[in-house]
Amino acid sequence: MNPKLLFLIPLLPLLGAAVNILVGMRLRPLWRGGIAVVSVALSFALACLAWPLSAGEGTRTLLATWLASGGLRADFGILFDPLAASMTLMVTGVSTLIHLYAVGYMEQEQDTARFFALLNLFVFSMLCIVLADNLLLLFLGWEGVGFCSYGLIGFWYARLDNARAGQKAFLVTRVGDVFLAVALLWLFTATGHLGIPEINAAAPSLAPAAVTAIVLLLLAGASGKSAQLPLMTWLPDAMAGPTPVSALIHAATMVTAGVYLLCRLFPLVSLSPTGLAAITLVGGLTAFYAATCAVAQREIKKVLAYSTMSQIGYMFIAVGAGSVSGAMFHLLTHAFFKALLFMGAGCVIHLCGEENDIHRMGGVKKKSPFVFWMFLAGALCLAGMPLSGGFFSKDGILLACFSHDDGIHRLVWLLGLVSAFLTSFYTFRLLYLVFAGEARQRTHPHRLSPLMRWTLPPLALLGLFGGLLNLPPAWGGNEMLKHLLAVANEWTADVPHGTEYALAVMAAGLFLLGLLAAWGRYRSYPGDQPNGIKRFLLAGWQADTGIEWTLLKPFRALAIFFGLGLDQTVIEGGLRLLADGAHRQGELLRRSVTGRVTTYVHGFAWGLLALLLWFLLETVR
Amino acid sequence: MIVPLEHVLIVAGLMFCLGLACVLTRRSLIMILIGVEVMINAVGLALVGASAFWRQADGQLVVVLLMALTSAEVSISLAMVVYLNRRKGTIDADAYDGMKG
């Protein structure tokens, strides 16, 4: 297979987007979605066909040179190594299913051409991130997903809240992007390269302090995209977009970009123990923070949003613990079951007549047992039921974290355990509130299109049996993904099988404990009893208010001071004073221009006299 | 030369100043033109005087040229005065202020 064909993988979705942008509104609605689905499905097929190219060191291929000036050289180049290949397969595969689902979900909508164009563009941008062989192209995709998320979260822009949520996502992730851009420029000046393999190769020659600083900057950039502390406030609000968009953002594309970036540059990242510790800590705190928030959420999609944040936190823990394969493993299984959960949530919302509040749902199992079983599959993976995909991936991460013998990792490991319990609890809370008992509100269910139903089972299977991808030796597997990725500097958890089993039993115990707690509290609807703690958690620990008071208000005050106080009064006032003076001077001079010959001749005569006097004085002297 | 050059120059200077005063103070276009003529004649007188003093013909030649120039200028100026008079019905120089800033 010609390596150049790899470029078709990102370009096909771009083509689909172009068609929808240019002529989408003239096509029939079914065609718009069809084009989007086919373009992504074709790139999935291509990614499957191209799999052999990723063997060993992978394939690096070049389409054209994008920028070349002095030492700067950025290509439209693809690096198709095992890491990129597995990620590409996941992105295109899950995206295909989400696109199919979206065709069903959006069948009642009007301007779907914009929707599908943005959806395709989203996949294209993500593939740019995944496949780029240099950081500049990666950054292009990085900004691309930011833009597409802005467009898609604010898709129903007629409502101000939605448009605001889009803006918030755009701006908050942009904060992280600034850090990433600084890291990128620093890497370029320090190593003279932009290519990812070159940078990874040159990393050991950098000063340790510089590496630490760069890793921290990268972490800040990744935090923005992956909604980690402290740049996480945009993700719950991002639920304002259509459900397929949430599925796409949370499962296949945007939020995983941060994890992927850290994995991609792992040979560099692994050189800084401080950086690794920071990554672990950020991940652990986010996992815990988001899990507590998810416990109190009322909107079905916000529960899932916080759980995504929490799960991405686990991936960060894995990267920080040095286990790239663990992070990628969790990323893959999470993509499957989170896409499933979001799409299931979309079905639930449709069945309840656009109702989002789980306290007003109930009894959905009776309405559609099929959706219940599918959602249950996803929920079991999320909660970490033993032997499901989510169980193995989460367990691997906790094991890797536990095997480090220092304070920070032990602390994060504990946070991870608590979060695991909370995850199990809020997942079953969600299940009980939504599916159990009787419907608490009379609603008019919308029709579920077959496309929405039949995209769920493949994801359920992938989620439940995703563990086979990277089954640890203790369970009779051979860690396929780990051998496939073969990342340099990868941390190997060197613990006896006994400890491994003990940890697994502990994880299973936490899963059961969460299940029992949720069963005890929610097996029959306990009523809606808001209290102070719940309100605090519902508002995400008041993070928005906190940011409003600590950052935005002082900033706004400063802006008003500089804008109104300094710029408009002092600077503009001074300039206006000068201009007025000049103008008045001009008005005075203007009077001398009378247009009369006599005045001019007088001036001439007086000038002559002055000149003569001057000459006279000069001769006398 | 029977008249000393100083006397000629003094008379020429006086004439020039008188002409200039006429140009500056009078408002009638014709009087201004006459003032200009007087100034030109003062210059001509100075040239002739100097030419006689240094016994060089150049100054007198220039005066002949000056006379030709003056006659041409006078004819054009008078034509313009007639034209301006026809436009505004007056030959007051202050009435023509169309180039005011």
Side-chain angles (χ1 to χ4, degrees), chain A residues 292-333:
Chain A
T292 56
C293 292
V295 168
Q297 294 303 310
R298 302 179 57 105
E299 272 185 47
I300 179 165
K301 278 163 74 181
K302 281 200 177 170
V303 178
L304 296 178
Y306 275 110
S307 99
T308 303
M309 214 188 272
S310 173
Q311 300 302 311
I312 304 272
Y314 277 109
M315 296 173 209
F316 270 62
I317 296 177
V319 175
S323 168
V324 169
S325 64
M328 287 305 291
F329 183 30
H330 198 51
L331 200 161
L332 296 177
T333 53

Side-chain angles (χ1 to χ4, degrees), chain A residues 374-518:
Chain A
M374 289 299 126
F375 201 90
L376 181 68
L380 288 177
C381 293
L382 174 61
M385 182 189 73
L387 304 184
S388 68
F391 172 75
F392 285 117
S393 53
K394 198 190 285 184
D395 211 34
I397 289 170
L398 290 175
L399 176 70
C401 194
F402 180 76
S403 62
H404 284 264
D405 214 8
D406 59 57
I408 275 197
H409 283 97
R410 280 293 147 85
L411 173 74
V412 170
W413 177 72
L414 269 178
L415 280 175
L417 282 186
V418 177
S419 315
F421 162 70
L422 287 172
T423 307
S424 171
F425 176 69
Y426 69 69
T427 310
F428 286 107
R429 165 181 178 268
L430 183 67
L431 270 176
Y432 277 117
L433 281 178
V434 172
F435 290 98
E438 296 296 319
R440 289 187 285 279
Q441 201 178 42
R442 292 175 63 83
T443 47
H444 304 284
H446 294 188
R447 192 181 67 91
L448 275 193
S449 101
L451 278 177
M452 287 172 72
R453 292 162 156 273
W454 296 111
T455 42
L456 301 182
L459 285 173
L461 288 178
L462 281 170
L464 284 175
F465 297 105
L468 294 174
L469 279 177
N470 196 28
L471 208 58
W475 296 85
N478 60 351
E479 299 196 301
M480 200 173 73
L481 196 64
K482 187 170 174 180
H483 293 302
L484 183 71
L485 295 179
V487 182
N489 302 356
E490 165 112 14
W491 169 269
T492 353
D494 197 18
V495 289
H497 281 340
T499 321
E500 223 171 320
Y501 289 129
L503 284 176
V505 168
M506 199 185 282
L510 286 172
F511 164 77
L512 273 179
L513 206 62
L515 171 58
L516 284 175

Side-chain angles (χ1 to χ4, degrees), chain A residues 38 101 122 130 156 158 205 227 261 276 292 296 306 317 331 341 355 392 412 502 510 532 589 612:
Chain A
V38 167
Y101 176 86
F122 211 140
V130 172
W156 289 309
S205 63
L261 175 78
L276 284 177
T292 56
Y306 275 110
I317 296 177
L331 200 161
L341 282 172
E355 177 60 66
F392 285 117
V412 170
L510 286 172
L589 277 176
L612 282 177

